[in-house]
Amino acid sequence: MGFWDGLFPRRTAQFESGSASSNAIELTKRHTTVSLSKQGAVSGNLRVNLSWRMRTSDIGGRSRQSGQLLRHPFKLFKPEVVQAHTQGMVNVDLDIGCLYELTDGSRGVVQPLGNFFGSLNAPPYVKLSGDDRFGAPSGETIFVNLDHAEQIKRLLVFVYIYDQTPAFDRTHAVVTLYPSNGPRIEIELDERAPQARSCAVLSIEKVKGELIVRREVKFVYGFQAELDRLYGWGLQWGRGYKTKV
């Protein structure tokens, strides 16, 4: 099935969000998986949120900042000022997307690029709520309808840089899952990959009867086609664009 076969009309919809607990499960290199089944979160809407901000330590340059601290040690106790975007800074536009494969063999992608926003109550049961181009606190959110988990074979959530400026090392990005039950699940993109343009963040699939979330965090230097080859999706990719604001 080709890349363009997964096109669904964009609709305005109200979503139920998972209950946010005060605690969180952080998936790391040492703790890579968590079972949604064991925490009773295999129904309802799974909310997957991407948020990011510029790394303040990179504003103005690290070497210059460290040199200033040596000359003026009391600046260590002065709150750091976060500057607005200027021409000297990289304007990063991170997008979240999701490769899906259903049990009937259909495959495709949900992402802002090409306006593939998906559908929540019909195949692929994955829906993108919108496209945040400015790093707002709310970020971007994908909803997965786990009431249809039996129709979903596997999902791969990824993040990519739309404007083609490699700058993952200039941002602090976090993908947070809000299940219908239990604590939220956090995955930080904390590895420095200055030339990477895309990152496979997490996968969701059934393993021995349990619905498992697995931390991937694999940076690649290409775009969706390279992620496709890495995970064996077998889609046909073409050049896509966003609708202008």
Side-chain angles (χ1 to χ4, degrees):
M1 182 168 290
F3 169 82
W4 305 110
D5 294 338
L7 180 61
F8 296 94
R10 185 177 182 180
R11 300 174 184 173
T12 302
Q14 298 294 324
F15 299 104
E16 297 175 358
S17 59
S19 57
S21 306
S22 58
N23 60 331
I25 297 173
E26 183 179 357
L27 296 186
T28 64
K29 286 183 178 180
R30 298 186 63 180
H31 179 207
T32 60
T33 63
V34 63
S35 171
L36 294 179
S37 301
K38 287 183 177 178
Q39 62 185 51
V42 293
S43 62
N45 291 332
L46 172 66
R47 180 160 56 103
V48 184
N49 176 259
L50 164 68
S51 60
W52 79 91
R53 55 182 171 81
M54 298 299 295
R55 292 182 186 269
T56 56
S57 61
D58 288 337
I59 297 175
R62 291 182 173 181
S63 58
R64 186 175 68 184
Q65 185 184 54
S66 59
Q68 289 176 347
L69 288 177
L70 289 174
R71 292 191 298 272
H72 307 285
F74 287 103
K75 284 190 175 183
L76 179 65
F77 304 100
K78 185 178 180 181
E80 191 171 18
V81 177
V82 180
Q83 302 175 6
H85 287 290
T86 66
Q87 290 183 349
M89 290 183 61
V90 177
N91 185 20
V92 182
D93 179 11
L94 296 184
D95 283 336
I96 191 172
C98 181
L99 286 166
Y100 64 83
E101 182 177 1
L102 304 183
T103 54
D104 65 2
S106 58
R107 292 166 292 170
V109 66
V110 171
Q111 63 178 17
L113 192 61
N115 297 324
F116 291 98
F117 290 94
S119 179
L120 194 64
N121 296 310
Y125 311 110
V126 179
K127 174 79 174 179
L128 178 65
S129 67
D131 177 16
D132 169 31
R133 306 187 186 187
F134 307 104
S138 59
E140 296 184 2
T141 300
I142 284 177
F143 291 87
V144 181
N145 188 346
L146 292 182
D147 288 337
H148 294 272
E150 294 298 325
Q151 282 79 43
I152 299 173
K153 182 177 181 180
R154 59 172 177 157
L155 303 175
L156 179 71
V157 175
F158 61 90
V159 173
Y160 63 97
I161 297 178
Y162 171 68
D163 63 5
Q164 300 188 14
T165 303
F168 272 111
D169 62 327
R170 299 288 299 276
T171 63
H172 177 76
V174 180
V175 173
T176 306
L177 285 71
Y178 297 89
S180 59
N181 188 51
R184 68 184 184 274
I185 302 163
E186 295 181 348
I187 301 175
E188 293 190 10
L189 306 187
D190 51 0
E191 299 175 20
R192 292 303 180 95
Q195 298 302 315
R197 299 178 186 273
S198 307
C199 179
V201 180
L202 65 97
S203 59
I204 302 174
E205 60 183 321
K206 278 200 171 180
V207 179
K208 296 181 180 179
E210 291 188 28
L211 196 60
I212 300 295
V213 176
R214 177 181 297 277
R215 177 188 185 271
E216 301 289 341
V217 189
K218 294 180 180 177
F219 290 92
V220 300
Y221 298 102
F223 293 99
Q224 291 89 324
E226 189 168 341
L227 291 173
D228 184 314
R229 288 192 295 270
L230 185 63
Y231 287 89
W233 237 266
L235 301 179
Q236 295 179 358
W237 296 89
R239 189 173 182 82
Y241 302 91
K242 290 185 185 181
T243 302
K244 293 183 179 181
V245 177

